[in-house]
Amino acid sequence: MDGQHKDDAPVLNKAVPVRHPGRWISAFIILALVVLFLQSLFTNPNFRWDVVGTYILDVKVVQGVGWTLLLTVTSMVLAIVLAILLAFMRQSDNPVFRWSSWVWVWFFRGTPVYTQLVLWGLISVLYPKISAGVPFGPELFSLDTAAVINATVAAILGLGLNESAYLAEIFRAGLKSVDRGQMEAAEALGMGKTKIMWRIILPQAMRVIVPPTGNETIGMLKTTSLVLAVPFTLDLTFATNALANRTYLPVPLLIVAAIWYLVITSILMVGQHYIEAYYGKGVDNLAPAGKPVAKSARVALSQDGGRSMETDFPEESAR
């Protein structure tokens, strides 16, 4: 009887894994290209790695890194504040707010950032004085424009105002990604619109807003290299270019700038990862969706399997 049962037992098919020769070929090609690139990078004397090592921590270069970070942070803070305001105006029932926001986005997205920076650098030529007073009447006070809007302020304004137009569209997309029914439900509970926006809508919209905002921040870091148009002459790109012009060695100084930009970008990407993980809690689940269900099903079967076998198939259970 036991032998007959063994003979009747089903035989499981031996699954053969699917072979992927294309993966091995592509991996080999990419690895070969990487090896060739590294060999060229470290054996070509024209890169002048000794000069890179000399200037990587030069005082002017480190100061340029500091100014680049300052421009990036201040410009992004200004852009984020304006973008939130513009996104709310775009969602407003007031047509004046909606069209004002649209015109702002249209203008600053439609003109090159380099052109805007040049105009901000020439603001004291266009408007020598900043004054306030009664229209067609006496002047209350006036300020020298060049003293108020210096090169640093002009660079921050040029970068921040331009970036606000792009972030406004990102924030608007994030706000629209939240289902309108949540606002209606909150209003039914008696919550005010401001509280609904800050406590319910924005926290959920941040999951959509954070990734492109992180990309825009990294883009802003590199856009600071255009502030020479103001002219602003303290950033990292200008510092390395000035050293290259003095030493007549442009390539190693370009490598110095590239290394610093890569380091800062890597740090920003790590920060973006943790911010995304914070706002994605409960939504961006890293575990595959089927595992918890499968595990609970296995536990249930292990607990009830023997009992059901005994009640439904007593002969099989005895065997």
Short mmCIF file of all heavy atoms in Angstrom, two decimals, residues 173-206:
data_model
loop_
_atom_site.label_atom_id
_atom_site.label_comp_id
_atom_site.label_asym_id
_atom_site.label_seq_id
_atom_site.Cartn_x
_atom_site.Cartn_y
_atom_site.Cartn_z
N ALA A 173 1.01 71.07 -9.86
CA ALA A 173 0.77 69.66 -10.19
C ALA A 173 0.62 68.82 -8.93
O ALA A 173 -0.21 67.91 -8.86
CB ALA A 173 1.91 69.13 -11.05
N GLY A 174 1.43 69.13 -7.90
CA GLY A 174 1.31 68.39 -6.64
C GLY A 174 -0.02 68.62 -5.97
O GLY A 174 -0.65 67.69 -5.45
N LEU A 175 -0.51 69.88 -5.97
CA LEU A 175 -1.80 70.17 -5.36
C LEU A 175 -2.94 69.48 -6.12
O LEU A 175 -3.89 68.99 -5.51
CB LEU A 175 -2.03 71.69 -5.34
CG LEU A 175 -1.08 72.49 -4.43
CD1 LEU A 175 -1.35 73.99 -4.60
CD2 LEU A 175 -1.24 72.09 -2.98
N LYS A 176 -2.84 69.44 -7.44
CA LYS A 176 -3.89 68.80 -8.23
C LYS A 176 -3.87 67.29 -8.11
O LYS A 176 -4.85 66.62 -8.47
CB LYS A 176 -3.77 69.21 -9.70
CG LYS A 176 -4.08 70.68 -9.96
CD LYS A 176 -3.88 71.04 -11.41
CE LYS A 176 -4.96 70.43 -12.28
NZ LYS A 176 -6.28 71.05 -12.03
N SER A 177 -2.76 66.72 -7.63
CA SER A 177 -2.69 65.26 -7.49
C SER A 177 -3.50 64.73 -6.31
O SER A 177 -3.78 63.54 -6.24
CB SER A 177 -1.23 64.83 -7.34
OG SER A 177 -0.70 65.26 -6.09
N VAL A 178 -3.86 65.62 -5.38
CA VAL A 178 -4.66 65.21 -4.21
C VAL A 178 -6.13 65.25 -4.60
O VAL A 178 -6.62 66.23 -5.17
CB VAL A 178 -4.39 66.14 -3.01
CG1 VAL A 178 -5.20 65.71 -1.80
CG2 VAL A 178 -2.91 66.14 -2.68
N ASP A 179 -6.82 64.17 -4.29
CA ASP A 179 -8.23 64.07 -4.67
C ASP A 179 -9.05 65.19 -4.04
O ASP A 179 -8.90 65.49 -2.85
CB ASP A 179 -8.78 62.71 -4.23
CG ASP A 179 -10.19 62.48 -4.76
OD1 ASP A 179 -10.35 62.30 -5.98
OD2 ASP A 179 -11.12 62.50 -3.95
N ARG A 180 -9.92 65.78 -4.83
CA ARG A 180 -10.73 66.91 -4.34
C ARG A 180 -11.70 66.47 -3.24
O ARG A 180 -12.11 67.28 -2.41
CB ARG A 180 -11.49 67.53 -5.51
CG ARG A 180 -12.27 68.77 -5.11
CD ARG A 180 -12.82 69.50 -6.31
NE ARG A 180 -13.57 70.68 -5.91
CZ ARG A 180 -13.06 71.84 -5.59
NH1 ARG A 180 -11.74 71.99 -5.63
NH2 ARG A 180 -13.80 72.86 -5.22
N GLY A 181 -12.03 65.19 -3.22
CA GLY A 181 -12.95 64.70 -2.21
C GLY A 181 -12.42 64.86 -0.79
O GLY A 181 -13.20 64.98 0.16
N GLN A 182 -11.09 64.88 -0.64
CA GLN A 182 -10.53 65.06 0.69
C GLN A 182 -10.79 66.47 1.21
O GLN A 182 -11.07 66.66 2.39
CB GLN A 182 -9.04 64.77 0.66
CG GLN A 182 -8.73 63.35 0.22
CD GLN A 182 -7.36 62.90 0.69
OE1 GLN A 182 -6.88 63.34 1.72
NE2 GLN A 182 -6.76 62.01 -0.07
N MET A 183 -10.71 67.46 0.33
CA MET A 183 -11.04 68.82 0.75
C MET A 183 -12.52 68.94 1.08
O MET A 183 -12.90 69.59 2.07
CB MET A 183 -10.65 69.82 -0.35
CG MET A 183 -11.01 71.26 -0.02
SD MET A 183 -10.41 72.45 -1.24
CE MET A 183 -8.66 72.48 -0.83
N GLU A 184 -13.36 68.31 0.29
CA GLU A 184 -14.79 68.37 0.57
C GLU A 184 -15.12 67.69 1.90
O GLU A 184 -15.96 68.18 2.67
CB GLU A 184 -15.55 67.72 -0.58
CG GLU A 184 -15.42 68.47 -1.90
CD GLU A 184 -16.05 67.73 -3.06
OE1 GLU A 184 -16.46 66.56 -2.85
OE2 GLU A 184 -16.12 68.29 -4.17
N ALA A 185 -14.45 66.57 2.19
CA ALA A 185 -14.69 65.89 3.45
C ALA A 185 -14.23 66.73 4.64
O ALA A 185 -14.90 66.80 5.67
CB ALA A 185 -13.97 64.54 3.46
N ALA A 186 -13.07 67.40 4.48
CA ALA A 186 -12.58 68.26 5.55
C ALA A 186 -13.49 69.47 5.76
O ALA A 186 -13.73 69.89 6.89
CB ALA A 186 -11.16 68.73 5.23
N GLU A 187 -14.03 70.03 4.67
CA GLU A 187 -14.97 71.14 4.81
C GLU A 187 -16.24 70.69 5.51
O GLU A 187 -16.84 71.44 6.28
CB GLU A 187 -15.29 71.71 3.42
CG GLU A 187 -14.14 72.48 2.80
CD GLU A 187 -14.47 72.97 1.39
OE1 GLU A 187 -15.48 72.47 0.83
OE2 GLU A 187 -13.73 73.81 0.86
N ALA A 188 -16.66 69.43 5.24
CA ALA A 188 -17.85 68.91 5.91
C ALA A 188 -17.63 68.77 7.40
O ALA A 188 -18.59 68.83 8.19
CB ALA A 188 -18.24 67.57 5.29
N LEU A 189 -16.38 68.59 7.82
CA LEU A 189 -16.07 68.49 9.25
C LEU A 189 -15.91 69.86 9.90
O LEU A 189 -15.66 69.94 11.11
CB LEU A 189 -14.78 67.68 9.44
CG LEU A 189 -14.85 66.20 9.06
CD1 LEU A 189 -13.49 65.57 9.17
CD2 LEU A 189 -15.85 65.47 9.94
N GLY A 190 -16.02 70.92 9.11
CA GLY A 190 -15.95 72.27 9.66
C GLY A 190 -14.58 72.89 9.66
O GLY A 190 -14.37 73.92 10.31
N MET A 191 -13.60 72.32 8.96
CA MET A 191 -12.26 72.87 8.91
C MET A 191 -12.20 74.04 7.93
O MET A 191 -12.88 74.04 6.90
CB MET A 191 -11.25 71.79 8.51
CG MET A 191 -11.13 70.64 9.49
SD MET A 191 -9.97 69.37 8.93
CE MET A 191 -8.44 70.28 8.97
N GLY A 192 -11.37 75.04 8.26
CA GLY A 192 -11.17 76.18 7.38
C GLY A 192 -10.28 75.83 6.21
O GLY A 192 -9.53 74.84 6.24
N LYS A 193 -10.33 76.65 5.14
CA LYS A 193 -9.57 76.34 3.94
C LYS A 193 -8.06 76.39 4.18
O LYS A 193 -7.31 75.58 3.64
CB LYS A 193 -9.95 77.32 2.83
CG LYS A 193 -11.33 77.06 2.25
CD LYS A 193 -11.57 77.91 1.01
CE LYS A 193 -12.92 77.57 0.38
NZ LYS A 193 -13.17 78.36 -0.84
N THR A 194 -7.61 77.35 4.99
CA THR A 194 -6.18 77.44 5.28
C THR A 194 -5.69 76.21 6.03
O THR A 194 -4.64 75.64 5.70
CB THR A 194 -5.89 78.71 6.10
OG1 THR A 194 -6.37 79.86 5.39
CG2 THR A 194 -4.40 78.85 6.35
N LYS A 195 -6.45 75.79 7.02
CA LYS A 195 -6.08 74.60 7.79
C LYS A 195 -6.12 73.35 6.93
O LYS A 195 -5.27 72.46 7.05
CB LYS A 195 -7.01 74.46 8.99
CG LYS A 195 -6.54 73.43 9.99
CD LYS A 195 -7.41 73.46 11.24
CE LYS A 195 -6.88 72.47 12.29
NZ LYS A 195 -7.73 72.49 13.50
N ILE A 196 -7.11 73.28 6.04
CA ILE A 196 -7.20 72.12 5.14
C ILE A 196 -5.97 72.06 4.25
O ILE A 196 -5.39 70.99 4.03
CB ILE A 196 -8.49 72.22 4.29
CG1 ILE A 196 -9.73 72.04 5.16
CG2 ILE A 196 -8.49 71.17 3.18
CD1 ILE A 196 -11.02 72.32 4.44
N MET A 197 -5.56 73.22 3.74
CA MET A 197 -4.42 73.24 2.82
C MET A 197 -3.13 72.82 3.52
O MET A 197 -2.36 72.02 2.97
CB MET A 197 -4.28 74.64 2.22
CG MET A 197 -3.22 74.75 1.14
SD MET A 197 -3.55 73.68 -0.28
CE MET A 197 -5.05 74.46 -0.92
N TRP A 198 -2.89 73.34 4.73
CA TRP A 198 -1.62 73.08 5.41
C TRP A 198 -1.60 71.74 6.13
O TRP A 198 -0.54 71.15 6.31
CB TRP A 198 -1.32 74.20 6.40
CG TRP A 198 -0.92 75.47 5.74
CD1 TRP A 198 -1.70 76.57 5.54
CD2 TRP A 198 0.34 75.78 5.13
NE1 TRP A 198 -1.00 77.54 4.87
CE2 TRP A 198 0.25 77.09 4.60
CE3 TRP A 198 1.54 75.07 4.98
CZ2 TRP A 198 1.30 77.70 3.94
CZ3 TRP A 198 2.59 75.69 4.33
CH2 TRP A 198 2.47 76.99 3.82
N ARG A 199 -2.77 71.24 6.57
CA ARG A 199 -2.80 70.01 7.36
C ARG A 199 -3.16 68.77 6.55
O ARG A 199 -2.82 67.66 6.95
CB ARG A 199 -3.81 70.17 8.50
CG ARG A 199 -3.48 71.28 9.49
CD ARG A 199 -2.25 70.92 10.32
NE ARG A 199 -2.48 69.74 11.11
CZ ARG A 199 -3.05 69.72 12.30
NH1 ARG A 199 -3.48 70.86 12.83
NH2 ARG A 199 -3.21 68.59 12.96
N ILE A 200 -3.85 68.95 5.42
CA ILE A 200 -4.33 67.78 4.67
C ILE A 200 -3.77 67.74 3.25
O ILE A 200 -3.22 66.72 2.83
CB ILE A 200 -5.88 67.78 4.64
CG1 ILE A 200 -6.43 67.60 6.05
CG2 ILE A 200 -6.41 66.69 3.73
CD1 ILE A 200 -7.92 67.66 6.16
N ILE A 201 -3.91 68.84 2.51
CA ILE A 201 -3.55 68.82 1.09
C ILE A 201 -2.03 68.81 0.90
O ILE A 201 -1.48 67.94 0.21
CB ILE A 201 -4.18 70.02 0.36
CG1 ILE A 201 -5.70 70.03 0.56
CG2 ILE A 201 -3.84 69.97 -1.12
CD1 ILE A 201 -6.40 68.80 0.06
N LEU A 202 -1.34 69.79 1.50
CA LEU A 202 0.11 69.90 1.28
C LEU A 202 0.90 68.68 1.72
O LEU A 202 1.81 68.24 1.00
CB LEU A 202 0.65 71.15 1.97
CG LEU A 202 0.69 72.43 1.13
CD1 LEU A 202 1.28 73.57 1.93
CD2 LEU A 202 1.48 72.21 -0.15
N PRO A 203 0.63 68.08 2.91
CA PRO A 203 1.40 66.88 3.27
C PRO A 203 1.29 65.75 2.26
O PRO A 203 2.26 65.02 2.04
CB PRO A 203 0.79 66.48 4.63
CG PRO A 203 0.26 67.76 5.19
CD PRO A 203 -0.24 68.53 4.01
N GLN A 204 0.12 65.61 1.63
CA GLN A 204 -0.02 64.57 0.62
C GLN A 204 0.60 64.99 -0.71
O GLN A 204 1.16 64.16 -1.43
CB GLN A 204 -1.50 64.25 0.41
CG GLN A 204 -2.19 63.71 1.66
CD GLN A 204 -3.63 63.39 1.40
OE1 GLN A 204 -3.96 62.42 0.73
NE2 GLN A 204 -4.52 64.22 1.93
N ALA A 205 0.51 66.28 -1.02
CA ALA A 205 1.09 66.75 -2.28
C ALA A 205 2.61 66.72 -2.26
O ALA A 205 3.25 66.66 -3.32
CB ALA A 205 0.60 68.17 -2.56
N MET A 206 3.22 66.77 -1.07
CA MET A 206 4.68 66.78 -0.98
C MET A 206 5.31 65.55 -1.60
O MET A 206 6.44 65.60 -2.09
CB MET A 206 5.11 66.91 0.47
CG MET A 206 4.84 68.27 1.08
SD MET A 206 5.71 69.60 0.24
CE MET A 206 7.39 69.24 0.71
#
